[in-house]
Amino acid sequence: MGLFEHSVKNLHEMLVKKEISPFDLVKESFDRIDAVEDKVGAFITLNKEMALDVAEELGDAGIDPNNMLAGLPIGLKDNIVTNNLRTTAASKILYNFDPIYDATVVQKLKAAQAINIGKLNMDEFAMGSSTETSYFHKTHNPWDLTKVPGGSSGGSAAAVAASEVLFSLGSDTGGSIRQPAAFCGVVGMKPTYGRISRFGLIAFASSLDQIGPITRTVEDNAYLLQAISGVDENDSTSIDHPVEDFASQLTGDIKGLRVGVPKEYIGEGVQEGVKKAVLEALETLKKLGATVEEVSLPHSEYGVASYYILASSEASSNLARFDGVRYGYRSEKAQTLDELYKMTRSEGFGDEVKRRIMLGTYSLSSGYYDAYYKKAQQARTLIKQDFEKVFQDFDVIIGPSTPTTAFDIDGMINDPITMYQNDLLTIPINLAGLPAISVPCGFSAGLPVGLQIIGNHFEEGRIYNVAHAFEQATNFHKEKPSL
């Protein structure tokens, strides 16, 4: 039995008793990376020398019994900045960027003495649903190497599924944690907007982005979320809300739980195999004492259109800073300042990033702002109000994480509209700023299916308990891909 087969709690107990050492765990991580990384392609940059040094230091000092993450190996999505460790956002324009500070979540992980194994592959600037737009390479799904791992946090999900790291951090702007978690058969949490600091997260869409954990089990996820949560003076959008002991809320008791199932989430466009797995999961929850009723989120149909206008508009603004003047890639062909801006951005950004910058700039331009951007914001408000109405009568909302299982590599990369539809079931949650988790709930044609559990603002504890109760009643989380 490999060390990564154990839970965070078990590994912590073994470390405290000195039955294993942090060095053992880090070595197992790098040994696994050596064995499977050429197939999976989850990492962009490894932190091997530093990670092994930190592991030895922690082993010599001993593990704090109250520090649950101490000595455990973690991977970080490559849009989370790390001091003196290359951070590229999977883009040519940042191919040589070595930050001089740590993101707040990285500071918190260091305080918790978790060990950073390296930086994980992603869609360029988190723009994509398949981890195929990365400048460096494509990541493959460990369950089927011909399939995508999802995106944009595809490297983060694939690394956990392939047992290259114990857990990882991703970012979720429109489903970029939950969708790859579903595709790779792992647990991915998108927290309430503002629960976790975005300071040091390379921005895509500032009103939507949120960092979150990807793990093998719900309990592991709860420990990691607790470690990275909290208000931050460096992020004006972070909210001063108490950091809860999420793991203590995993009672497994969901008797009387009121579950709403949106008819829009299990209707047309959802694969039969996905629908079947989700309906069976709902039956499991009923047996555990929950009541299940159909509800409606009528404005969900405007989610994708609203999201791509709003997210692209914010991206147009956020990515204006990448101009070749201060850091990152700089075109060598430019003769004038205007040429420097144009050529650097033309050569440094990939097609998907350019597409979204252009869409966003157009939406914000004079004469189109009211017709597109303002209208999208109005639709966002209606979507948020739909959720508020349902949560007056229900504790959680449940449906599929994705309308399909993982699709073929190169299958949709040239069809952006179809690609965008993959986020159909996750986008509304980001627009409303709500928390949601994806947990494995079955398989369709040998590929994992994700169950999405959505809660009201700051009700991650309740979401975790529902997810944990389901997890304990099933064995899907124990299934592993055979690489």
Side-chain angles (χ1 to χ4, degrees):
M1 184 177 181
L3 291 177
F4 286 6
E5 299 295 313
H6 293 276
S7 68
V8 164
K9 188 176 182 179
N10 287 346
L11 288 173
H12 175 68
E13 291 171 355
M14 293 163 73
L15 285 167
V16 170
K17 294 176 182 176
K18 296 194 173 182
E19 295 172 357
I20 60 171
S21 70
F23 188 87
D24 295 332
L25 290 169
V26 171
K27 184 177 183 300
E28 178 150 333
S29 184
F30 284 116
D31 286 348
R32 181 65 173 170
I33 290 168
D34 288 343
V36 303
E37 182 61 9
D38 61 330
K39 300 175 186 175
V40 178
F43 284 87
I44 292 177
T45 303
L46 291 175
N47 189 35
K48 189 168 186 177
E49 186 176 342
M50 181 69 73
L52 290 169
D53 287 347
V54 171
E56 287 213 54
E57 290 172 10
L58 284 177
D60 292 342
I63 297 298
D64 179 357
N66 298 314
N67 200 344
M68 189 61 72
L69 302 186
L72 301 182
I74 188 169
L76 304 178
K77 188 175 180 178
D78 204 28
N79 59 350
I80 299 171
V81 302
T82 42
N83 188 22
N84 292 323
L85 181 62
R86 187 147 295 177
T87 303
T88 69
S91 179
K92 179 180 179 180
I93 211 159
L94 286 175
Y95 79 105
N96 62 353
F97 176 52
D98 297 323
I100 58 173
Y101 69 98
D102 281 322
T104 297
V105 291
V106 178
Q107 295 172 15
K108 287 178 177 287
L109 288 172
K110 284 184 175 179
Q113 297 182 322
I115 301 174
N116 178 17
I117 296 298
K119 307 302 287 294
L120 293 156
N121 199 24
M122 55 183 282
D123 283 301
E124 184 182 6
F125 282 103
M127 298 180 191
S129 303
S130 61
T131 314
E132 292 176 283
T133 69
S134 170
Y135 168 68
F136 297 96
H137 55 262
K138 295 176 183 177
T139 298
H140 298 253
N141 191 318
W143 288 92
D144 181 341
L145 297 173
T146 68
K147 306 292 184 183
V148 302
S152 62
S153 306
S156 298
V160 174
S163 298
E164 292 180 290
V165 289
L166 194 61
F167 37 41
S168 66
L169 290 188
S171 68
D172 194 311
T173 308
S176 291
I177 287 173
R178 289 159 290 151
Q179 189 245 26
F183 279 8
C184 292
V186 292
V187 178
M189 167 65 89
K190 182 264 169 195
T192 302
Y193 182 79
R195 184 180 274 283
I196 296 172
S197 172
R198 292 184 300 107
F199 179 73
L201 175 69
I202 297 174
F204 165 14
S206 303
S207 74
L208 298 161
D209 297 340
Q210 188 67 120
I211 295 169
I214 297 177
T215 59
R216 292 168 308 126
T217 69
V218 173
E219 184 181 42
D220 290 359
N221 207 282
Y223 286 125
L224 186 49
L225 181 64
Q226 182 180 346
I228 61 175
S229 293
V231 68
D232 178 18
E233 63 181 12
N234 291 319
D235 176 8
S236 61
T237 63
S238 72
I239 298 173
D240 190 3
H241 190 276
V243 178
E244 302 163 47
D245 181 353
F246 296 113
S248 70
Q249 299 180 48
L250 304 180
T251 65
D253 181 8
I254 60 168
K255 290 184 178 66
L257 182 81
R258 299 167 300 169
V259 176
V261 181
K263 61 183 180 181
E264 295 83 3
Y265 282 31
I266 53 172
E268 187 179 350
V270 178
Q271 272 181 0
E272 282 304 314
V274 171
K275 190 184 299 185
K276 181 174 181 288
V278 169
L279 293 176
E280 289 174 356
L282 290 168
E283 289 301 316
T284 299
L285 293 175
K286 285 182 186 177
K287 291 175 184 175
L288 294 172
T291 60
V292 177
E293 291 182 41
E294 185 177 87
V295 299
S296 180
L297 298 171
H299 296 99
S300 293
E301 63 177 302
Y302 305 115
V304 172
S306 300
Y307 169 84
Y308 280 99
I309 289 171
L310 297 174
S312 297
S313 297
E314 294 183 27
S316 169
S317 175
N318 280 325
L319 271 61
R321 72 194 70 177
F322 302 107
D323 53 15
V325 175
R326 287 154 289 192
Y327 51 82
Y329 175 79
R330 177 184 294 185
S331 175
E332 297 179 355
K333 303 173 187 175
Q335 301 296 315
T336 67
L337 186 60
D338 277 352
E339 286 183 356
L340 175 65
Y341 292 151
K342 291 176 183 178
M343 290 182 175
T344 293
R345 290 168 67 81
S346 177
E347 296 165 17
F349 288 136
D351 288 345
E352 183 60 33
V353 175
K354 291 176 191 173
R355 182 181 294 120
R356 299 202 195 188
I357 289 173
M358 292 171 69
L359 174 60
T361 304
Y362 178 82
S363 300
L364 291 174
S365 61
S366 177
Y368 298 100
Y369 180 91
D370 285 350
Y372 296 105
Y373 184 80
K374 184 179 178 181
K375 190 64 69 177
Q377 288 287 26
Q378 290 170 333
R380 180 181 193 171
T381 299
L382 293 173
I383 290 168
K384 183 173 180 289
Q385 289 172 349
D386 284 347
F387 282 109
E388 290 170 353
K389 185 177 179 181
V390 172
F391 281 126
Q392 289 175 5
D393 300 312
F394 294 89
D395 299 312
V396 293
I397 297 170
I398 294 182
S401 301
T402 58
T404 70
T405 52
F407 48 88
D408 291 341
I409 290 175
D410 296 326
M412 295 186 188
I413 193 66
N414 296 316
D415 185 357
I417 302 301
T418 303
M419 183 77 82
Y420 295 168
Q421 292 297 323
N422 278 284
D423 300 328
L424 180 70
L425 305 177
T426 52
I427 278 172
I429 289 85
N430 295 77
L431 291 171
L434 296 168
I437 197 169
S438 178
V439 293
C441 73
F443 293 85
S444 177
L447 294 170
V449 175
L451 183 74
Q452 182 171 213
I453 305 169
I454 308 160
N456 212 340
H457 294 101
F458 295 104
E459 291 194 350
E460 285 88 348
R462 172 176 281 166
I463 293 173
Y464 276 137
N465 189 43
V466 177
H468 181 68
F470 174 77
E471 188 180 75
Q472 296 306 299
T474 59
N475 289 313
F476 302 122
H477 64 290
K478 296 179 181 178
E479 299 285 342
K480 299 283 186 293
S482 56
L483 275 167

